[in-house]
Amino acid sequence: MSERDKDAISADELDRMSDDELVRLGTRLDDVRLVQYAERWPVPGTKMERRALRHVTGWFVLAGVSALALIGVFVFWPYEYLPPGAPGYQVRTLYTPMVGLTFGLTLLGLAVGAVAYAKKFLPQELAVQQRHSGSSSEADKRTVAAEFRDAGTRSGLQRRTLFRRVAATSAGLFGLGLGVMAIGPLVRDPWKHGDSPDSLWRTGWKPINGETVYLRLDTGDPDEVVLVRPEDLRAGGYVTVFPFRETDREEPERLHAALRRADSAVMLFRFRPGTTVTSRPGREDFHHGDFYAYSKVCTHLGCPASLYEQQTGRLLCPCHQSQFDVFAGAVPIFGPATRPLPELPITVGDDGYFVARGDFAEVVGPGFWELKP
Amino acid sequence: MSQQRRTSPRRRRLRRWAFLLLALVAAGTLAGLLTPQRQTAVAQESGTQRQGEQIYLNTCLTCHGAQLEGVEGRGPSLVGAGEAKVYFQVSTGRMPLARQQAQGQRKPVEFSDDEIRALMAYVDSFGGGGAKMPEERGEALRGNVARGGELFRLNCAACHNFTGRGGALTSGKYAPSLDPANEEQIYTAMLTGPSNMPVFGDRQLSPEEKRDIIAYVESVQHESNNYGGHPLGSLGPVSEGAVAWVVGIVALVLLTLWIGARA
């Protein structure tokens, strides 16, 4: 049926039609034919129907009860920490599961109820819709094209070439501006400030204005500053350290940030006396006695390579099983990592604390395009 | 020149001998008095130590040597090892070793508490400076759980997993599960760094911090302390992800089938 057929139906005819007939007409106008459109319950109020309705209602009642229970659990269930074995521990461990259970039951009840209602009470419907042929009619195509041409001529835009160009150029420039705004922020030269501590070439250990960089422990409290002295480590021990500058002491944000910097984590080892240790060329004086400091960032994909075996001197990265030999300059001896862990040059300052003698001599962490092997 | 008192040559000889004897005795006494005492205190051989020596000679000698000097290729020297190290190795059943392997493993303990104490006393009498046992025992070694959890994740979790499940290291070695460890064993392990475990001296983790860590480990042993529901092995994303995928996706598929089925 096309537009004309609709107009063929007079208002009187429409007035006389029942809702049922109007529905049939509407679907017919959309080229949809209802093959089957049967009531589920032709006789209302049967025992079967009432039972089906009870069934569906049950799901919504369940949802309502669970929702109330969810509120009750959330407000009243005890959740404060108690150690295992303490009276009340079992109840408290059930807090999260109970919240999840009541939350899930509520959602499930609503969803199953809705679907079950549709399955049991909506009419059984089988409809067939005609497919239309693909393109518009020839008349439609020609008339629309003519309308566009007419608009061009009548508005005078076709004639006024200069005006048209100026207007189009302005709009185009605005579009260009939008494009610049969208893409501009993506255009960056990460190598412009190659000497900044924030570039890929440098780390948080890079000395700034000649200020001493100490080795600092992470005690779990980011405001606490604990520096490391040689006697703090027993032979066969190791500890993870981060850079610290005296000017950061009163700056909580910088104290926190120093512990979170991805490239700053360094492992400080104290080898057992008598261990045969070889350094890589050019790094013979990076260590302080039995103390050696290596970057904790795996040179494969940047995981913390921190599984340290103090007798074999092997350092294992848990992500892809790269192994480094810290008794031999932390060179990779197994797994996908190809570059040694960079060594941090350290010494002990006048006040007895470990200090870094400078930044790493090479790039920390996984490789990137610009990194020449 | 006065008249010389003449003495017979025999008496003269006698006097010489007596003088020599006196000088020798005096020198000996003087030497005995002036020679400094040996710095390494030789502990009094007590009954406990004798018992320890017996146990040592019977079970440890083959690998650690008669004078605790160690045997190349078998076992390290125990001079200066200290009682804490002996306690950890013997009370966890790691020593005596069943056979040479990648690392000693926990097995049923060979000795009674008294025998272990005797062995500790015997080894401790060799060399000074060894790691000592903590003052407290048992429950008294448990500190602050929350702080301990923090310290555990910073220092221990890399190898032992975040709830002490343990994990693999290189070439057959592994970080053991902490489930069977009691308070003293965790303490002495941190202090002495058994096998390939790094040493955490008292200046790196203070005794108080060690007690905090012990409290945390004891609280998560045997997959307890599960405030988020079932721990699924306490292994983290692997088991949790597997369950989410298998159980979750099967449930979703079944629900979808039910929704799509004609009533």
Side-chain angles (χ1 to χ4, degrees), chain A residues 24 27-28 31-36 126-130:
Chain A
R24 300 258 165 195
T27 55
R28 207 170 68 239
D31 279 343
V32 173
R33 195 162 54 88
L34 288 170
V35 179
Q36 195 190 2
L126 186 64
V128 178
Q129 179 167 28
Q130 297 298 324

Side-chain angles (χ1 to χ4, degrees), chain A residues 58-72 102 105-106:
Chain A
W59 283 104
F60 284 102
V61 171
L62 173 75
V65 171
S66 311
L68 279 177
L70 171 62
I71 297 171
T102 48
L105 269 182
T106 311

Side-chain angles (χ1 to χ4, degrees), chain A residues 97-109:
Chain A
M98 284 307 290
V99 167
L101 188 73
T102 48
F103 193 103
L105 269 182
T106 311
L107 274 183
L108 190 76

Side-chain angles (χ1 to χ4, degrees), chain B residues 23 70 89 93-94 96 148 174 180 202 259:
Chain B
Q89 295 288 354
R94 285 179 166 80
Y174 60 92
D202 278 348
I259 292 171

Side-chain angles (χ1 to χ4, degrees), chain A residues 82 89 119 232 309 314, chain B residues 171 173 196 203 225 227 261:
Chain A
L82 280 180
Y89 163 76
K119 280 174 173 284
D232 291 347
E309 299 179 4
R314 286 192 206 173
Chain B
S171 309
K173 296 184 284 296
N196 267 296
R203 293 189 58 99
N225 218 352
Y227 276 71

Side-chain angles (χ1 to χ4, degrees), chain A residues 163-279:
Chain A
F163 169 77
R164 204 174 67 220
R165 284 184 186 155
V166 170
T169 309
S170 304
L173 284 174
F174 177 61
L176 188 69
L178 287 181
V180 167
M181 280 166 68
I183 297 170
L186 304 178
V187 182
R188 284 270 172 89
D189 180 5
W191 315 114
K192 199 169 164 190
H193 305 289
D195 217 30
S196 150
D198 296 327
S199 88
L200 280 176
W201 304 114
R202 297 278 172 261
T203 72
W205 293 97
K206 182 186 156 52
I208 302 169
N209 302 329
E211 196 183 352
T212 312
V213 184
Y214 291 92
L215 276 59
R216 173 194 172 195
L217 279 183
D218 184 356
T219 60
D221 174 7
D223 291 318
E224 192 180 12
V225 176
V226 178
L227 305 180
V228 191
R229 281 190 285 207
E231 60 265 35
D232 291 347
L233 272 183
R234 297 277 301 272
Y238 94 115
V239 69
T240 305
V241 290
F242 298 87
F244 170 76
R245 299 170 169 83
E246 266 314 320
T247 45
D248 290 353
R249 193 178 280 277
E250 304 303 326
E251 308 264 354
E253 281 182 24
R254 273 151 71 179
L255 283 182
H256 292 214
L259 296 178
R260 299 287 174 267
R261 259 193 86 123
D263 59 10
S264 291
V266 158
M267 290 169 294
L268 177 67
F269 300 94
R270 180 175 187 173
F271 297 149
R272 290 182 181 280
T275 310
T276 315
V277 187
T278 51
S279 286

Side-chain angles (χ1 to χ4, degrees), chain B residues 67-198:
Chain B
Q67 292 303 310
L68 284 74
E69 74 278 17
V71 175
E72 186 67 39
R74 283 200 205 143
S77 163
L78 295 183
V79 176
E83 55 175 9
K85 197 164 213 162
V86 180
Y87 174 79
F88 177 85
Q89 295 288 354
V90 180
S91 76
T92 61
R94 285 179 166 80
M95 292 292 148
L97 214 54
R99 60 181 179 281
Q100 295 286 344
Q101 53 193 351
Q103 77 186 50
Q105 15 185 322
R106 185 179 265 273
K107 56 185 188 299
V109 188
E110 293 277 329
F111 306 110
S112 70
D113 286 353
D114 282 342
E115 290 171 322
I116 295 174
R117 260 195 294 279
L119 200 53
M120 284 158 64
Y122 178 69
V123 174
D124 210 37
S125 67
F126 284 77
K132 294 286 175 203
M133 292 296 286
E135 299 279 322
E136 303 91 339
R137 288 289 184 277
E139 299 263 331
L141 272 173
R142 297 189 191 184
N144 180 337
V145 179
R147 175 113 181 95
E150 192 104 39
L151 291 167
F152 187 87
R153 286 185 286 277
L154 281 169
N155 293 290
C156 326
C159 296
H160 285 290
N161 153 303
F162 58 102
T163 58
R165 301 298 98 210
L169 293 174
T170 71
S171 309
K173 296 184 284 296
Y174 60 92
S177 158
L178 302 183
D179 277 353
N182 67 23
E183 289 88 347
E184 291 88 354
Q185 286 161 358
I186 303 172
Y187 191 99
T188 49
M190 286 188 273
L191 199 57
T192 63
S195 188
N196 267 296
M197 176 169 161

